[in-house]
Amino acid sequence: MLQSYRWGILGLGGIAHKFASDLKQVEGAILHAVASRSLEKAKAFAADFKAEKAYGSYKDLAKDPEVDIIYVATPHVFHFEHALLGLEHHKAVLCEKPIAMNAAQLSRMISEAKRKNRFLMEGLWTNFMPHLQKVYDLTQKEIYGKCLKIEADFSFKAEFDTEARLFNKNLGGGALLDIGIYPVYLALKLLGLPQNIKATAEFSKTGVDVSNTIQFQYSSGAVAHLSSSFARTTPSKAKVYFEKATVEFGPRFHETDQLSITTKAGEEHLDFQYSPNGYQFEIEHVHDCLDQGLTQSPEMSLKASLELLQTLDTIRKQIGLRYKEDLDH
């Protein structure tokens, strides 16, 4: 008999709507409760997605004895606090990316998850999508030889607003942590930790990075050219160059269902045809982990999340981007 899990969603912004929509597609997934600082907002969300309970307090959701797992979907700066809240109340936690503001915060979260013997995973949904799994498999098995170069960009034009989360330093604003994390993650996933990092950035008057350019260099000779920006809209594509092929992701590479593989023999198009948002793969994986009694994912390990944050910390140090959370550790 299929095990079912009762989910609680903490934080009800745009990403929570997408997640809740995909949750309905996963067999055995029950949206039990949702929480916002506004009870009215929580009730409206619960009505839209048929959640059984609505809370106007995050702590009330965490205390609900019927919730098995909490999806943390608040802004970055609150991930540490809210993930710990879930763990404190003995819940499994899936925390939206970045799982924390820095590696020091994540180290404390990992310690707490171990102490409570509870599941903790970063919600980096791209990791579980079929197109990314395919490229990772090609890389690991060296189907087209070794990976030589990665080019990845994620950019969109955002209208400058000092109060908007994207530009608000107190809410963890800035391109790197919001969207630059995807190109950085892709390079780490396929090539591992680089031997050398070079990064530059342009800043807004609110003190967050509007654009950044990053280069990873590897001892193998491989390189990664990565960028993200709120100053311009691009197709947000990625290309992976192997010795015997070039693999190109479709537009919005982090969520595409399209790949093109070019070799001497010609071009092959792959269409994975998933719908609608792609969060279902992540949700199904979490269920599999819980079925096995795991406290972390073998596919998105806490070590991988820690290495990602350590890399982002290094990049931020180079470009001079600091948040108040860096001073707390």
Side-chain angles (χ1 to χ4, degrees), residues 97 124 126 132 150-155 175-192 212-216 218 223-229 234 236-240 249 253-254 308 311-312 315:
K97 62 82 200 160
L124 220 165
T126 300
L132 196 284
I150 295 171
E151 295 173 349
D153 165 71
F154 189 170
S155 301
L176 180 65
L177 292 190
D178 195 78
I179 53 177
I181 189 172
Y182 289 105
V184 171
Y185 150 79
L186 181 66
L188 295 185
K189 178 76 173 177
L190 301 184
L191 286 171
N212 57 70
T213 303
I214 304 156
Q215 185 180 84
F216 288 174
Y218 293 85
V223 294
H225 300 289
L226 316 169
S227 59
S228 63
S229 179
T234 69
S236 295
K237 285 190 175 183
K239 276 188 179 182
V240 181
F249 293 63
F253 78 88
H254 67 296
L308 176 54
T311 304
L312 292 169
I315 293 166

Side-chain angles (χ1 to χ4, degrees), residues 3-268:
Q3 174 75 39
S4 63
Y5 294 99
R6 303 176 78 82
W7 286 77
I9 299 180
L10 192 158
L12 304 179
I15 203 161
H17 284 74
K18 291 179 180 179
F19 186 89
S21 177
D22 286 2
L23 192 72
K24 292 192 291 186
Q25 294 192 66
V26 179
E27 194 175 355
I30 299 163
L31 182 55
H32 174 70
V34 298
S36 169
R37 288 200 171 102
S38 159
L39 181 58
E40 186 179 345
K41 185 176 181 180
K43 285 180 175 178
F45 191 103
D48 286 345
F49 293 99
K50 297 181 171 55
E52 296 173 20
K53 293 183 181 177
Y55 293 110
S57 155
Y58 296 147
K59 190 170 184 178
D60 286 346
L61 182 143
K63 287 165 61 178
D64 187 327
E66 294 187 84
V67 170
D68 297 311
I69 180 162
I70 292 175
Y71 171 58
V72 175
T74 47
H76 320 330
V77 290
F78 303 116
H79 288 177
F80 175 68
E81 173 191 346
H82 294 151
L84 286 181
L85 179 65
L87 293 170
E88 178 190 336
H89 288 86
H90 304 279
K91 309 302 185 193
V93 174
L94 173 65
C95 185
E96 190 51 51
K97 62 82 200 160
I99 192 170
M101 289 295 290
N102 51 45
Q105 281 191 341
L106 178 54
S107 294
R108 288 177 58 187
M109 293 159 73
I110 292 170
S111 295
E112 183 65 11
K114 286 180 179 175
R115 194 169 74 85
K116 296 289 189 182
N117 196 34
R118 285 294 178 267
F119 179 85
L120 174 65
M121 190 184 95
E122 182 169 21
L124 220 165
W125 59 315
T126 300
N127 188 69
F128 301 97
M129 289 189 179
H131 75 290
L132 196 284
Q133 294 289 322
K134 176 68 174 180
V135 178
Y136 180 65
D137 191 53
L138 294 176
T139 307
Q140 289 294 103
K141 294 177 180 174
E142 296 188 359
I143 302 295
Y144 298 112
K146 295 188 183 301
C147 179
L148 305 176
K149 182 171 71 170
I150 295 171
E151 295 173 349
D153 165 71
F154 189 170
S155 301
F156 65 87
K157 174 72 173 173
E159 292 304 318
F160 181 73
D161 179 352
T162 56
E163 297 304 309
R165 179 185 64 80
L166 297 182
F167 298 100
N168 188 330
K169 200 168 188 180
N170 291 328
L171 292 178
L176 180 65
L177 292 190
D178 195 78
I179 53 177
I181 189 172
Y182 289 105
V184 171
Y185 150 79
L186 181 66
L188 295 185
K189 178 76 173 177
L190 301 184
L191 286 171
L193 288 168
Q195 274 61 57
N196 191 35
I197 298 174
K198 294 180 180 177
T200 59
E202 298 170 9
F203 283 78
S204 74
K205 62 184 181 182
T206 56
V208 301
D209 64 309
V210 173
S211 302
N212 57 70
T213 303
I214 304 156
Q215 185 180 84
F216 288 174
Q217 296 172 327
Y218 293 85
S219 56
S220 65
V223 294
H225 300 289
L226 316 169
S227 59
S228 63
S229 179
F230 292 146
R232 58 186 176 274
T233 297
T234 69
S236 295
K237 285 190 175 183
K239 276 188 179 182
V240 181
Y241 298 83
F242 295 96
E243 290 173 306
K244 300 173 185 174
T246 299
V247 177
E248 184 169 1
F249 293 63
R252 292 181 63 81
F253 78 88
H254 67 296
E255 63 178 2
T256 185
D257 58 1
Q258 308 284 320
L259 289 176
S260 296
I261 303 175
T262 304
T263 64
K264 285 183 178 178
E267 190 171 1
E268 178 187 7

